[in-house]
Structure formats: structure tokens, C-alpha cells
Amino acid sequence: MAIMDPKGNGGTLLLTGATSGLGLEVAKLLAGSAEWTVVAMVRSRDRGEALRGMLGDPVNFRYVAGDQADLTEVRKAAARIRELLAAQEIPPLRGIILNAGIQTGSTDAATVDGFELTFGTNLAGPHLLLALLTPELTGPARVLWTGSGTHYGKFRRSYGMVPAPRWEHPGALARPRPGDGIRAYSTSKLGTLYLVHELARRAPESIQVTCYDPGMMPGTGLARDRGAIERFGWKYLLPAMRMVPGVSTPRRSAVHLTALATGTSSIPVSTLRGAYVEIDRPVRSSAESYDEHRELELFDYLDSATGSQADETAPWWTTRPN
């Protein structure tokens, strides 16, 4: 049974990365439900209007513009969401789905705030967004952060297309530098698990924090920066492997992610705190992903580097239990 507010609406779900792939399929499912309001954070008004058109202009859809790679824009988007909630233009915020992320070919590009582009987009931006909006969550609520099997560093999880993560101090990972952008992607997904574990440690009982791995989804735009042979294999050969464990489609994974976000999943709620859900079942993430020192180090670094400490945040965000 879906989580419902007293007015009969399940509430509002914030979704990032909603304009293509997995996020678009989740947006379609939520927009087709009378029980939920979906607010998409998109990079521009043009993208927001295009998404509205793709969804058929549903009454339960809103968007806010804000590039996750730009901390100033993240703050503006969060402020707009708070305004909508305060004015009761949208139902209470019951969930945040952090699906936006990028994969690039190198690590020499920087965000406007000076972060290496993958680190800034996949870790710093979402961390700040959560810091600004978790005080607005009305329980019971969910925070779902899209992960990736590439964090395991195993052949079966990426079929050789993504190198294993290589963790360093967050200050080093955050700096633009010569290097492999594809490895930076798998490393950022390892960092996602560190943040999910730390958040789950701090979150009140009314808020579940979970990492969702949609599985390998061949045919999507993830390999757009690869070489011609890799792009061909990703688009035409790997889709034939969709019956292999760990391989999925955006639609199939969106159904399971939406169920988690709306409280209709068959997975017991008691197993979801800090969990790693691969497509439709909780599994254990990599041994490397369980490291309390790294979890706290990354969380504290991002708090400082994004300026989260200067913002009004919920006590559970800023206080780590003993």
C-alpha cells in the first residue's frame, strides 16, 4: 500500500535525471499515477518543457530548473521547492530520488565551483541538494540514490567496459587532473555508497536511505563518450544479453525503483536502511564499500566543500550518532 497523506495524495517525489533513460521511465510511471506529484529537477527550462511534453502535460507534474553540477543553481532549485511546499502548491515531500549523474572520458574538466566534473555532478551536487531539502521531508519518506554495479570493479558487472574504482582522499578526487573519466565514474559510485551508509546511520526512523542499482542497461546513452567499437557493442550487441542476471532495461528497473519510492515494493521495509538493491532484490555491495572511516571522511569533506555546514539543516544531517 502506498504511503498516503491525509488528503489522499501519496505526496511529492523529487526526481533528478528525469529527461532520459531510467529517470524518464520513472517520471512516466509517477506522472501516470493520481496518488503522487512528481517534481523533476532539470538543467534548464527548455528541458523541463520538453519533459512536460513527453509526459503529456499531466496535472501532477512540476519541474524546477537547476544544474546539479552548479552549487548556486542547486541552492536556487532547492529554494524554489521549499517555496512550493510552503505555499502548499504541492503535497508534502515524501521522497527524493537522486538519479542524475554523468560519465565522461577524462578528469580534466571542472564544474563552475572548481570540482572535477564527475565528482561535482555525481557527489557534491546531490549532497548539497539533500542537505537543503531533507529538513522538508515528511515521514514516512524515502531517499533513493542511484548506484552502479561498476563500484564492484568486477568483470561481470561491466563486462570490461568500466575500470574498477580507485579511491583516494576526497580532496584529491575533487580536483580536476589528467586521468580516466570512466574510472572516475565507478569511483563516484563507490562514493555514493559511502554517503548512503553515512546518511542511513544519521537518518531518523521515519526516513529510509537506500542505494538503488538499476543494473546494466545496454542501449542507453551512457556510452556516448566511448570509442566507436564500444558504442557499437553497447548499443547493438549487449542488449541481446538482457536475460543475463544484472542486466536490465530502463523500463523494468524504473518499475522497481518507483515501487521503492512509493512504498509499494515487496521488499520488506526493515531491510532497506542503508541497503543496496540490485534491480529487484537487496544484495551486499562490495567489501570496499563498507568503510566507516571513508564514509565519514567523504561526508565531512562534502559538508565543508559545498558549504552545507552554513545552511540550516535537519539535526540528523549534521549530528552523527555515537
Side-chain angles (χ1 to χ4, degrees):
M1 183 175 181
I3 304 166
M4 304 291 283
D5 74 7
K7 297 180 180 179
N9 186 291
T12 295
L13 292 172
L14 172 65
L15 172 65
T16 69
T19 57
S20 63
L22 174 67
L24 178 56
E25 294 300 325
V26 171
K28 289 176 179 177
L29 290 168
L30 291 173
S33 169
E35 297 179 349
W36 293 90
T37 294
V38 56
V39 175
M41 179 174 162
V42 294
R43 278 190 280 175
S44 66
R45 289 182 57 86
D46 286 347
R47 283 176 173 263
E49 290 301 323
L51 178 57
R52 186 194 300 280
M54 285 189 282
L55 298 178
D57 195 18
V59 295
N60 62 336
F61 169 77
R62 303 287 291 264
Y63 72 83
V64 294
D67 188 342
Q68 193 168 277
D70 184 330
L71 298 186
T72 297
E73 291 199 15
V74 170
R75 292 182 188 279
K76 289 179 179 178
R80 177 56 181 153
I81 293 167
R82 289 197 299 265
E83 289 173 359
L84 293 172
L85 290 166
Q88 297 185 345
E89 293 185 37
I90 55 176
L93 184 63
R94 292 296 179 88
I96 299 174
I97 306 172
L98 297 170
N99 176 63
I102 62 167
Q103 184 183 116
T104 64
S106 68
T107 56
D108 55 4
T111 68
V112 296
D113 302 289
F115 295 112
E116 186 276 317
L117 186 58
T118 302
F119 184 95
T121 305
N122 294 4
L123 294 173
H127 180 88
L128 178 60
L129 186 65
L130 282 179
L132 296 171
L133 289 181
T134 45
E136 307 298 330
L137 282 170
T138 298
R142 321 265 195 219
V143 173
L144 291 153
W145 202 328
T146 300
S148 168
T150 60
H151 89 275
Y152 287 96
K154 303 295 185 182
F155 180 83
R156 187 187 77 77
R157 302 287 179 166
S158 66
Y159 294 93
M161 293 192 66
V162 180
R166 183 177 295 158
W167 193 257
E168 300 179 63
H169 185 277
L173 294 173
R175 289 195 299 270
R177 62 202 180 279
D180 184 351
I182 310 303
R183 188 186 298 278
Y185 172 80
S186 62
T187 302
S188 76
K189 293 304 179 180
L190 178 59
T192 294
L193 273 158
Y194 290 149
L195 292 176
V196 165
H197 292 161
E198 184 62 24
L199 287 167
R201 195 173 287 119
R202 296 168 183 246
E205 290 300 316
S206 62
I207 299 175
Q208 292 287 355
V209 185
T210 304
C211 185
Y212 180 74
D213 176 0
M216 196 174 183
M217 297 182 292
T220 62
L222 194 61
R224 65 175 64 90
D225 293 323
R226 305 299 188 85
I229 294 176
E230 288 176 304
R231 293 198 306 272
F232 179 85
W234 180 257
K235 186 174 182 179
Y236 297 108
L237 301 182
L238 287 178
M241 301 171 62
R242 282 174 176 160
M243 297 305 293
V244 175
V247 179
S248 187
T249 66
R251 184 67 177 186
R252 178 189 172 208
S253 294
V255 168
H256 294 294
L257 177 53
T258 301
L260 286 168
T262 58
T264 58
S265 173
S266 60
I267 300 173
V269 173
S270 60
T271 67
L272 291 175
R273 177 172 292 272
Y276 184 77
V277 176
E278 183 184 55
I279 306 177
D280 59 355
R281 62 193 177 95
V283 299
R284 186 169 174 81
S285 54
S286 71
E288 189 180 7
S289 72
Y290 298 92
D291 188 318
E292 284 199 34
H293 172 74
R294 289 182 180 181
E295 290 160 7
L296 180 58
E297 182 179 62
L298 178 59
F299 190 95
D300 284 348
Y301 175 83
L302 288 173
D303 253 7
S304 176
T306 65
S308 301
Q309 293 171 331
D311 292 296
E312 294 181 3
T313 55
W316 67 267
W317 180 270
T318 56
T319 305
R320 195 176 201 250
N322 294 325

